[in-house]
């Protein structure tokens, strides 16, 4: 709870990303595009994690990135497709955002 009576909540928000894939298949995110259309160029990828264990049908990789002076985490979620069902795999990018939730005062 903040001093103004607000609670903070973390929310997973899917975003568009402009990626660069090199000839070895390594993915480097170049820019993040917010749902409202704002685009932020990534100045540096500070850390590139390997995909984690499969959870709920997806593996997630962590990218620690920098926009100017702001560092944040960007995640690449890779969902496996099902050849038997004819569904393709899906890659989605997301970030955690902090929401301020007002609480009613008694």
């Amino acid at each position: 709870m903040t001093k103004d009576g607000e609670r903070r909540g973390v929310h997973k928000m899917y975003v568009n990303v402009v990626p660069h894939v090199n000839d070895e298949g390594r993915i480097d995110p170049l820019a993040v595009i917010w749902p409202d259309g704002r685009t932020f160029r990534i100045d540096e990828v500070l850390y590139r994690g390997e995909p984690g264990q499969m959870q709920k049908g997806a593996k997630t990789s962590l990218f620690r990135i920098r926009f100017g002076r702001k560092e944040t985490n960007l995640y690449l979620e890779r969902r496996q497709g099902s050849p038997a069902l004819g569904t393709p795999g899906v890659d989605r990018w997301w970030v955690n955002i902090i929401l301020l939730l007002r609480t009613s005062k008694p």
Side-chain angles (χ1 to χ4, degrees):
M1 183 115 22
T2 67
K3 64 182 178 183
D4 296 329
E6 296 175 325
R7 280 186 318 143
R8 292 183 182 193
V10 178
H11 175 72
K12 179 178 179 177
M13 182 174 72
Y14 288 99
V15 294
N16 290 320
V17 169
V18 176
H20 173 262
V21 182
N22 73 8
D23 61 351
E24 296 175 350
R26 189 177 89 177
I27 299 172
D28 287 313
L30 301 177
V32 174
I33 305 168
W34 246 231
D36 65 6
R38 291 179 295 156
T39 301
F40 298 93
R41 194 178 119 253
I42 296 169
D43 294 313
E44 184 178 8
V45 176
L46 303 168
Y47 173 80
R48 182 181 296 98
E50 293 297 318
Q53 295 292 323
M54 181 75 71
Q55 292 184 356
K56 298 181 182 176
K59 288 186 176 185
T60 303
S61 299
L62 165 68
F63 292 79
R64 184 75 180 164
I65 59 173
R66 184 176 58 78
F67 305 103
R69 294 182 190 167
K70 171 78 172 146
E71 290 184 18
T72 192
N73 293 330
L74 175 66
Y75 301 90
L76 173 58
E77 176 183 285
R78 303 193 109 166
R79 293 204 166 271
Q80 275 190 302
S82 172
L85 298 174
T87 56
V90 176
D91 291 351
R92 295 178 78 186
W93 295 86
W94 58 276
V95 295
N96 280 321
I97 60 169
I98 296 173
L99 300 174
L100 293 179
L101 309 168
R102 290 227 179 250
T103 57
S104 57
K105 292 186 180 183

